Structure formats: structure tokens, C-alpha cells
Amino acid sequence: MSPSNSTLAVQQTFIDPAVLKRSIIGDYHRIDLWKDVSELDWEDWHWQVKNRIRTEENLSHLIKLTSEEEEGVKKSRGRLSLALTPYWATLMDPDDPNCPIRKQAVPVKLELKTSPHEMNDPCAEDRDSPVPGLVHRYPDRALLLVTEMCFSYCRHCTRRRMVGEDKNILNLNNLDRAVDYIRSNRKIRDVLISGGDPLMLEDNILEEILKKLRSVSQIEFLRIGTRAPVTLPQRITNGLVSMLRKYAPIWISIHFNHPKEITKRCRFACDILADSGFPLGSQTVLLKGINDRPYIMKKLMHELLKIRVRPYYIYQCDPSKGISHFRTPVAVGINIMEKLRGHTSGYAVPTYVIDAPGGGGKIPVGPNYLISEAKDRYTLRNYKKKIYTYIE
Ligand SMILES: *Cc1c(COP(=O)(O)O)cnc(C)c1O
Ligand code: SF4
């Protein structure tokens, strides 16, 4: 998986800023730190990754840090580290510590606290891993973790036990073992490529992985889980998309948590993907103080449909260590589902799931519409809480 023999090296790794309107690129020039940065650099994802905010010093140029944040940042070393792409960082409100982007991006002191029932690996992914980097839980699909790196680290990350180190889990040897395992498990027809963020890998390395997976005849389709359109939309380039198209059908799941994330630049990236034939889905983590109000969640779902992203899952925040300040009661999630189903387009209603601690997989939870079940008679209630009977 060495990038040396890359045939893609000549391919553009950015969208030419000349084709982008100023309003799409955004007004990063207003920020002192980047006032002299050219649009060519700003639009180059490699520049963005190289210039990530990783220190308290740099962060303090962008936001007025609270004492909670200051301490969180100081102690984030050696744990899930601090990293923010300049693009993502520009979305933070400099003065409001309750800004939904800032809360996802900046560590706070509360992360140091571990609450009862919290675990390193709540979904027991390591236990269900037959080969390093591969999680095989459901008979017909497998999860391949290809890197531990992300563009920006989310403070609520469920895989914080492993994410945030500058290394790739899946070396060539492990990739071959994972592919062999998949090949010999004939029931696996769907492989989900995740991490970390798979799009942190260079196009040619990602291509190597896709090519190997595609050599397994029983694989029907692939999925990529990423946050790139949200934290670094500049990553979605024509070069990337034309490479991915060779391995279609590929479904892309994007981690979105708040309507504020859907900027013009984000929409532009999603348009490239949707126009190129990749079905897009969203995954959202229910987060206290960020998206735990029904009207915010509904707005997010509506904004997603406008950019052709089909809401897929809302996750109850996992019991990973140090994220109890993000967790809401399950009733909050159920109430959000109650306020969606029937009240808005069915396409705007994702499935709310709890990823069962201990490795039971995703279990849907939601309002109960089936009130009673007798011999041939179902008593139901609708979204307005009116009662109906269905007779078999
Ligand atoms: C979420 C997940 C999948 C995919 O599940 P879907 O419900 O099909 O999206 C597969 N394997 C593991 C281990 C997972 O956590
Ligand atoms: S992008 Fe995903 S894997 Fe990476 S830090 Fe955020 S939640 Fe974790």
C-alpha cells in the first residue's frame, strides 16, 4: 500500500477555486490566522490536514477559551487528541461555548470524568474482531476499520479508545488477512469501510483497499463511513470521485449532528457525490446540548434531504469513557422520534438505535404504536395519538 507507484499523482487533489464562488469557499480571510492564505491552499485538502489546529495556542487565536476548555485541551494529550481542520474551525462561534460545532470540537474538563457503566469498548468491537481491523458481528456484513485518523476529532467519539493516533491500523498484511477472512466467509455480502475516517487515506491507498474487496465475488456492495463532507468538504475532489466510481455501487454514510454543519461548501461536496451516483445516508449521534431538541433534529433532517442525504440512523450516545456529559436519557431520543414520524416526510425519519453494550448490535427503539395485540385484532395509535383497530 505504498503511494509511490500512484497513477493518480497527477490527478488534481483539489477543486479549482476558480470554479467555486466566493460564497461557497467561505470568508476564512476574516480570521487573522489565515488572512494571507490563498484560496488555492484553502481548497487543497492536504493543506487543510497539514494546518490543523492542534494546540491551545492556535486555538486561542480562534475562540475565547473558557477555563473548562482550557483544562480540557491541556489534558487531551495522550487521549483523544485535539485536531481541527481550519475549515471546521471557522464554523465555531468564538464567543459562545455552547456553539454546537465548538462543543463537538473542543475538549472540556468533563472528558476526564468516568461515570459508572462507561467502558473503553462498549460495543465489544475488539471481541468480535477475527482479524485486526475487521469486526464481524452480523452474518452478512462486516466492518473494516482502515485507519485511526480523522480530519477533526469529535469529542463524543465512540471509538475514542483507538481513534486519534497518527497511524493506520490496516497495513498491507492485515488487509490481506481481512480480505481472506471475508472471502472465506461466503455469507458476507456487504462491507462497511470505516475507522477513523477512511478518506484520510490517499486516493491510491483507498483504491488498493477497494480493489482487493472488489476481488471478492460475493460482495454485493461497499459502504464508506466518513465525516469528510462535514469536517473537510475539500476532500471530495473530482479525482476521488472518479476513482470511487470504478468500484460502485458504493453507499456513503456521513456523520452529521447539527444543521449548522450544512454550509454551502458542505452542500457542494455532497452534490459532487450525489451527482456521481453515490447514494448518501446520514448517521447522527444524539448529543446533549447539541441536537437533543426535537426542532433542531427535525431541522437537521430537513436540511439533509435538501442536500440529498437520506437520514439513516440516530444513535443513542454510547457508554464510552469520558463522554457522559454528551449523553441524554433514552426518553429524549424516543420523544424526538415521536415528533418526527407522521409530522414530517417519511424520508426525514431515521431509525433511532442503541448499539447494545456488550456487542448485541444496533437495536431500534422508539415510540410504541402497537397498543395491544389480540387474536386477530391489532390496536394501534397514530401520530396524533388517535386509536385505530386493524382486523386480520
Ligand atoms: C453498524 C454496524 C454494521 C452495519 O449495520 P447496518 O445496520 O447494516 O448499518 C456492521 N457491523 C458492525 C460491527 C456495526 O457496528
Ligand atoms: S469522525 Fe467518527 S471516528 Fe473520527 S473522531 Fe469523529 S466520531 Fe470518531
mmCIF file with all atom_site columns, all heavy atoms in Angstrom, residues 135 137-138 141 143 192 223 312-313 355 362, ligand 1:
data_model
loop_
_atom_site.group_PDB
_atom_site.id
_atom_site.type_symbol
_atom_site.label_atom_id
_atom_site.label_alt_id
_atom_site.label_comp_id
_atom_site.label_asym_id
_atom_site.label_entity_id
_atom_site.label_seq_id
_atom_site.pdbx_PDB_ins_code
_atom_site.Cartn_x
_atom_site.Cartn_y
_atom_site.Cartn_z
_atom_site.occupancy
_atom_site.B_iso_or_equiv
_atom_site.pdbx_formal_charge
_atom_site.auth_seq_id
_atom_site.auth_comp_id
_atom_site.auth_asym_id
_atom_site.auth_atom_id
_atom_site.pdbx_PDB_model_num
ATOM   1   N N   . VAL A 1 135 ? -14.289 -6.137  12.056 1.00 0.00 ? 135 VAL A N   1
ATOM   2   C CA  . VAL A 1 135 ? -15.285 -6.512  13.055 1.00 0.00 ? 135 VAL A CA  1
ATOM   3   C C   . VAL A 1 135 ? -16.395 -7.271  12.330 1.00 0.00 ? 135 VAL A C   1
ATOM   4   O O   . VAL A 1 135 ? -16.975 -6.768  11.361 1.00 0.00 ? 135 VAL A O   1
ATOM   5   C CB  . VAL A 1 135 ? -15.883 -5.273  13.772 1.00 0.00 ? 135 VAL A CB  1
ATOM   6   C CG1 . VAL A 1 135 ? -16.840 -5.709  14.891 1.00 0.00 ? 135 VAL A CG1 1
ATOM   7   C CG2 . VAL A 1 135 ? -14.776 -4.377  14.338 1.00 0.00 ? 135 VAL A CG2 1
ATOM   8   N N   . ARG A 1 137 ? -19.815 -9.018  13.116 1.00 0.00 ? 137 ARG A N   1
ATOM   9   C CA  . ARG A 1 137 ? -20.865 -9.226  14.116 1.00 0.00 ? 137 ARG A CA  1
ATOM   10  C C   . ARG A 1 137 ? -22.117 -9.811  13.483 1.00 0.00 ? 137 ARG A C   1
ATOM   11  O O   . ARG A 1 137 ? -22.698 -10.742 13.988 1.00 0.00 ? 137 ARG A O   1
ATOM   12  C CB  . ARG A 1 137 ? -21.188 -7.880  14.785 1.00 0.00 ? 137 ARG A CB  1
ATOM   13  C CG  . ARG A 1 137 ? -22.421 -7.907  15.653 1.00 0.00 ? 137 ARG A CG  1
ATOM   14  C CD  . ARG A 1 137 ? -22.407 -6.783  16.657 1.00 0.00 ? 137 ARG A CD  1
ATOM   15  N NE  . ARG A 1 137 ? -21.182 -6.781  17.415 1.00 0.00 ? 137 ARG A NE  1
ATOM   16  C CZ  . ARG A 1 137 ? -20.579 -5.669  17.866 1.00 0.00 ? 137 ARG A CZ  1
ATOM   17  N NH1 . ARG A 1 137 ? -21.092 -4.484  17.601 1.00 0.00 ? 137 ARG A NH1 1
ATOM   18  N NH2 . ARG A 1 137 ? -19.462 -5.756  18.550 1.00 0.00 ? 137 ARG A NH2 1
ATOM   19  N N   . TYR A 1 138 ? -22.557 -9.215  12.407 1.00 0.00 ? 138 TYR A N   1
ATOM   20  C CA  . TYR A 1 138 ? -23.739 -9.706  11.708 1.00 0.00 ? 138 TYR A CA  1
ATOM   21  C C   . TYR A 1 138 ? -23.278 -10.684 10.628 1.00 0.00 ? 138 TYR A C   1
ATOM   22  O O   . TYR A 1 138 ? -22.261 -10.435 9.977  1.00 0.00 ? 138 TYR A O   1
ATOM   23  C CB  . TYR A 1 138 ? -24.463 -8.539  11.045 1.00 0.00 ? 138 TYR A CB  1
ATOM   24  C CG  . TYR A 1 138 ? -24.883 -7.431  11.988 1.00 0.00 ? 138 TYR A CG  1
ATOM   25  C CD1 . TYR A 1 138 ? -24.167 -6.243  12.059 1.00 0.00 ? 138 TYR A CD1 1
ATOM   26  C CD2 . TYR A 1 138 ? -26.005 -7.583  12.792 1.00 0.00 ? 138 TYR A CD2 1
ATOM   27  C CE1 . TYR A 1 138 ? -24.558 -5.219  12.912 1.00 0.00 ? 138 TYR A CE1 1
ATOM   28  C CE2 . TYR A 1 138 ? -26.404 -6.561  13.644 1.00 0.00 ? 138 TYR A CE2 1
ATOM   29  C CZ  . TYR A 1 138 ? -25.684 -5.379  13.696 1.00 0.00 ? 138 TYR A CZ  1
ATOM   30  O OH  . TYR A 1 138 ? -26.071 -4.375  14.528 1.00 0.00 ? 138 TYR A OH  1
ATOM   31  N N   . ARG A 1 141 ? -22.612 -9.061  6.952  1.00 0.00 ? 141 ARG A N   1
ATOM   32  C CA  . ARG A 1 141 ? -21.850 -7.841  6.689  1.00 0.00 ? 141 ARG A CA  1
ATOM   33  C C   . ARG A 1 141 ? -20.711 -7.690  7.679  1.00 0.00 ? 141 ARG A C   1
ATOM   34  O O   . ARG A 1 141 ? -20.770 -8.204  8.790  1.00 0.00 ? 141 ARG A O   1
ATOM   35  C CB  . ARG A 1 141 ? -22.747 -6.612  6.671  1.00 0.00 ? 141 ARG A CB  1
ATOM   36  C CG  . ARG A 1 141 ? -23.683 -6.477  7.849  1.00 0.00 ? 141 ARG A CG  1
ATOM   37  C CD  . ARG A 1 141 ? -24.967 -5.790  7.365  1.00 0.00 ? 141 ARG A CD  1
ATOM   38  N NE  . ARG A 1 141 ? -25.800 -5.312  8.456  1.00 0.00 ? 141 ARG A NE  1
ATOM   39  C CZ  . ARG A 1 141 ? -26.659 -6.083  9.126  1.00 0.00 ? 141 ARG A CZ  1
ATOM   40  N NH1 . ARG A 1 141 ? -26.738 -7.377  8.864  1.00 0.00 ? 141 ARG A NH1 1
ATOM   41  N NH2 . ARG A 1 141 ? -27.394 -5.564  10.080 1.00 0.00 ? 141 ARG A NH2 1
ATOM   42  N N   . LEU A 1 143 ? -17.420 -4.988  9.158  1.00 0.00 ? 143 LEU A N   1
ATOM   43  C CA  . LEU A 1 143 ? -16.950 -3.615  9.352  1.00 0.00 ? 143 LEU A CA  1
ATOM   44  C C   . LEU A 1 143 ? -15.428 -3.634  9.283  1.00 0.00 ? 143 LEU A C   1
ATOM   45  O O   . LEU A 1 143 ? -14.774 -4.361  10.032 1.00 0.00 ? 143 LEU A O   1
ATOM   46  C CB  . LEU A 1 143 ? -17.444 -3.159  10.730 1.00 0.00 ? 143 LEU A CB  1
ATOM   47  C CG  . LEU A 1 143 ? -16.918 -1.863  11.329 1.00 0.00 ? 143 LEU A CG  1
ATOM   48  C CD1 . LEU A 1 143 ? -17.362 -0.667  10.499 1.00 0.00 ? 143 LEU A CD1 1
ATOM   49  C CD2 . LEU A 1 143 ? -17.448 -1.701  12.768 1.00 0.00 ? 143 LEU A CD2 1
ATOM   50  N N   . LEU A 1 192 ? -18.512 -2.590  5.210  1.00 0.00 ? 192 LEU A N   1
ATOM   51  C CA  . LEU A 1 192 ? -18.555 -1.189  5.610  1.00 0.00 ? 192 LEU A CA  1
ATOM   52  C C   . LEU A 1 192 ? -17.138 -0.742  5.963  1.00 0.00 ? 192 LEU A C   1
ATOM   53  O O   . LEU A 1 192 ? -16.522 -1.304  6.861  1.00 0.00 ? 192 LEU A O   1
ATOM   54  C CB  . LEU A 1 192 ? -19.510 -1.108  6.802  1.00 0.00 ? 192 LEU A CB  1
ATOM   55  C CG  . LEU A 1 192 ? -19.626 0.117   7.665  1.00 0.00 ? 192 LEU A CG  1
ATOM   56  C CD1 . LEU A 1 192 ? -19.860 1.350   6.827  1.00 0.00 ? 192 LEU A CD1 1
ATOM   57  C CD2 . LEU A 1 192 ? -20.794 -0.080  8.630  1.00 0.00 ? 192 LEU A CD2 1
ATOM   58  N N   . ARG A 1 223 ? -19.684 0.100   1.477  1.00 0.00 ? 223 ARG A N   1
ATOM   59  C CA  . ARG A 1 223 ? -20.111 1.362   2.095  1.00 0.00 ? 223 ARG A CA  1
ATOM   60  C C   . ARG A 1 223 ? -18.874 2.039   2.658  1.00 0.00 ? 223 ARG A C   1
ATOM   61  O O   . ARG A 1 223 ? -17.968 1.372   3.144  1.00 0.00 ? 223 ARG A O   1
ATOM   62  C CB  . ARG A 1 223 ? -21.027 1.134   3.277  1.00 0.00 ? 223 ARG A CB  1
ATOM   63  C CG  . ARG A 1 223 ? -22.183 0.271   3.036  1.00 0.00 ? 223 ARG A CG  1
ATOM   64  C CD  . ARG A 1 223 ? -23.095 0.407   4.257  1.00 0.00 ? 223 ARG A CD  1
ATOM   65  N NE  . ARG A 1 223 ? -23.550 -0.859  4.748  1.00 0.00 ? 223 ARG A NE  1
ATOM   66  C CZ  . ARG A 1 223 ? -24.315 -0.988  5.826  1.00 0.00 ? 223 ARG A CZ  1
ATOM   67  N NH1 . ARG A 1 223 ? -24.636 0.087   6.534  1.00 0.00 ? 223 ARG A NH1 1
ATOM   68  N NH2 . ARG A 1 223 ? -24.721 -2.163  6.225  1.00 0.00 ? 223 ARG A NH2 1
ATOM   69  N N   . TYR A 1 312 ? -30.397 8.143   8.100  1.00 0.00 ? 312 TYR A N   1
ATOM   70  C CA  . TYR A 1 312 ? -30.287 6.690   8.264  1.00 0.00 ? 312 TYR A CA  1
ATOM   71  C C   . TYR A 1 312 ? -30.434 6.296   9.737  1.00 0.00 ? 312 TYR A C   1
ATOM   72  O O   . TYR A 1 312 ? -31.399 5.657   10.107 1.00 0.00 ? 312 TYR A O   1
ATOM   73  C CB  . TYR A 1 312 ? -28.942 6.240   7.674  1.00 0.00 ? 312 TYR A CB  1
ATOM   74  C CG  . TYR A 1 312 ? -28.680 4.750   7.678  1.00 0.00 ? 312 TYR A CG  1
ATOM   75  C CD1 . TYR A 1 312 ? -29.684 3.838   7.323  1.00 0.00 ? 312 TYR A CD1 1
ATOM   76  C CD2 . TYR A 1 312 ? -27.427 4.239   8.003  1.00 0.00 ? 312 TYR A CD2 1
ATOM   77  C CE1 . TYR A 1 312 ? -29.431 2.473   7.309  1.00 0.00 ? 312 TYR A CE1 1
ATOM   78  C CE2 . TYR A 1 312 ? -27.171 2.880   7.987  1.00 0.00 ? 312 TYR A CE2 1
ATOM   79  C CZ  . TYR A 1 312 ? -28.177 1.993   7.640  1.00 0.00 ? 312 TYR A CZ  1
ATOM   80  O OH  . TYR A 1 312 ? -27.919 0.646   7.634  1.00 0.00 ? 312 TYR A OH  1
ATOM   81  N N   . TYR A 1 313 ? -29.489 6.712   10.557 1.00 0.00 ? 313 TYR A N   1
ATOM   82  C CA  . TYR A 1 313 ? -29.563 6.373   11.982 1.00 0.00 ? 313 TYR A CA  1
ATOM   83  C C   . TYR A 1 313 ? -29.411 7.602   12.864 1.00 0.00 ? 313 TYR A C   1
ATOM   84  O O   . TYR A 1 313 ? -28.643 8.511   12.557 1.00 0.00 ? 313 TYR A O   1
ATOM   85  C CB  . TYR A 1 313 ? -28.419 5.425   12.371 1.00 0.00 ? 313 TYR A CB  1
ATOM   86  C CG  . TYR A 1 313 ? -28.614 3.976   12.004 1.00 0.00 ? 313 TYR A CG  1
ATOM   87  C CD1 . TYR A 1 313 ? -27.568 3.236   11.456 1.00 0.00 ? 313 TYR A CD1 1
ATOM   88  C CD2 . TYR A 1 313 ? -29.834 3.326   12.222 1.00 0.00 ? 313 TYR A CD2 1
ATOM   89  C CE1 . TYR A 1 313 ? -27.721 1.899   11.132 1.00 0.00 ? 313 TYR A CE1 1
ATOM   90  C CE2 . TYR A 1 313 ? -29.993 1.986   11.902 1.00 0.00 ? 313 TYR A CE2 1
ATOM   91  C CZ  . TYR A 1 313 ? -28.938 1.267   11.351 1.00 0.00 ? 313 TYR A CZ  1
ATOM   92  O OH  . TYR A 1 313 ? -29.094 -0.046  11.039 1.00 0.00 ? 313 TYR A OH  1
ATOM   93  N N   . ASP A 1 355 ? -26.795 0.942   20.277 1.00 0.00 ? 355 ASP A N   1
ATOM   94  C CA  . ASP A 1 355 ? -25.831 -0.106  19.940 1.00 0.00 ? 355 ASP A CA  1
ATOM   95  C C   . ASP A 1 355 ? -25.584 -0.855  21.251 1.00 0.00 ? 355 ASP A C   1
ATOM   96  O O   . ASP A 1 355 ? -24.959 -0.322  22.172 1.00 0.00 ? 355 ASP A O   1
ATOM   97  C CB  . ASP A 1 355 ? -24.541 0.512   19.370 1.00 0.00 ? 355 ASP A CB  1
ATOM   98  C CG  . ASP A 1 355 ? -23.888 -0.414  18.350 1.00 0.00 ? 355 ASP A CG  1
ATOM   99  O OD1 . ASP A 1 355 ? -24.134 -1.633  18.416 1.00 0.00 ? 355 ASP A OD1 1
ATOM   100 O OD2 . ASP A 1 355 ? -23.122 0.088   17.496 1.00 0.00 ? 355 ASP A OD2 1
ATOM   101 N N   . LYS A 1 362 ? -27.059 -3.145  16.793 1.00 0.00 ? 362 LYS A N   1
ATOM   102 C CA  . LYS A 1 362 ? -27.945 -1.978  16.868 1.00 0.00 ? 362 LYS A CA  1
ATOM   103 C C   . LYS A 1 362 ? -29.376 -2.429  17.101 1.00 0.00 ? 362 LYS A C   1
ATOM   104 O O   . LYS A 1 362 ? -29.899 -3.242  16.352 1.00 0.00 ? 362 LYS A O   1
ATOM   105 C CB  . LYS A 1 362 ? -27.844 -1.185  15.567 1.00 0.00 ? 362 LYS A CB  1
ATOM   106 C CG  . LYS A 1 362 ? -26.450 -0.638  15.328 1.00 0.00 ? 362 LYS A CG  1
ATOM   107 C CD  . LYS A 1 362 ? -26.341 0.024   13.973 1.00 0.00 ? 362 LYS A CD  1
ATOM   108 C CE  . LYS A 1 362 ? -24.949 0.502   13.674 1.00 0.00 ? 362 LYS A CE  1
ATOM   109 N NZ  . LYS A 1 362 ? -23.997 -0.608  13.397 1.00 0.00 ? 362 LYS A NZ  1
HETATM 110 C C1  . LIG B 2 .   ? -23.245 -0.777  12.426 1.00 0.00 ? 1   LIG B C1  1
HETATM 111 C C2  . LIG B 2 .   ? -22.506 -1.963  12.114 1.00 0.00 ? 1   LIG B C2  1
HETATM 112 C C3  . LIG B 2 .   ? -22.708 -2.636  10.910 1.00 0.00 ? 1   LIG B C3  1
HETATM 113 C C4  . LIG B 2 .   ? -23.710 -2.158  9.872  1.00 0.00 ? 1   LIG B C4  1
HETATM 114 O O1  . LIG B 2 .   ? -25.013 -2.218  10.374 1.00 0.00 ? 1   LIG B O1  1
HETATM 115 P P1  . LIG B 2 .   ? -26.270 -1.748  9.500  1.00 0.00 ? 1   LIG B P1  1
HETATM 116 O O2  . LIG B 2 .   ? -27.415 -1.774  10.441 1.00 0.00 ? 1   LIG B O2  1
HETATM 117 O O3  . LIG B 2 .   ? -26.393 -2.716  8.372  1.00 0.00 ? 1   LIG B O3  1
HETATM 118 O O4  . LIG B 2 .   ? -25.943 -0.381  9.006  1.00 0.00 ? 1   LIG B O4  1
HETATM 119 C C5  . LIG B 2 .   ? -21.987 -3.770  10.677 1.00 0.00 ? 1   LIG B C5  1
HETATM 120 N N1  . LIG B 2 .   ? -21.105 -4.246  11.593 1.00 0.00 ? 1   LIG B N1  1
HETATM 121 C C6  . LIG B 2 .   ? -20.924 -3.637  12.780 1.00 0.00 ? 1   LIG B C6  1
HETATM 122 C C7  . LIG B 2 .   ? -19.963 -4.219  13.745 1.00 0.00 ? 1   LIG B C7  1
HETATM 123 C C8  . LIG B 2 .   ? -21.606 -2.467  13.075 1.00 0.00 ? 1   LIG B C8  1
HETATM 124 O O5  . LIG B 2 .   ? -21.389 -1.847  14.238 1.00 0.00 ? 1   LIG B O5  1
#
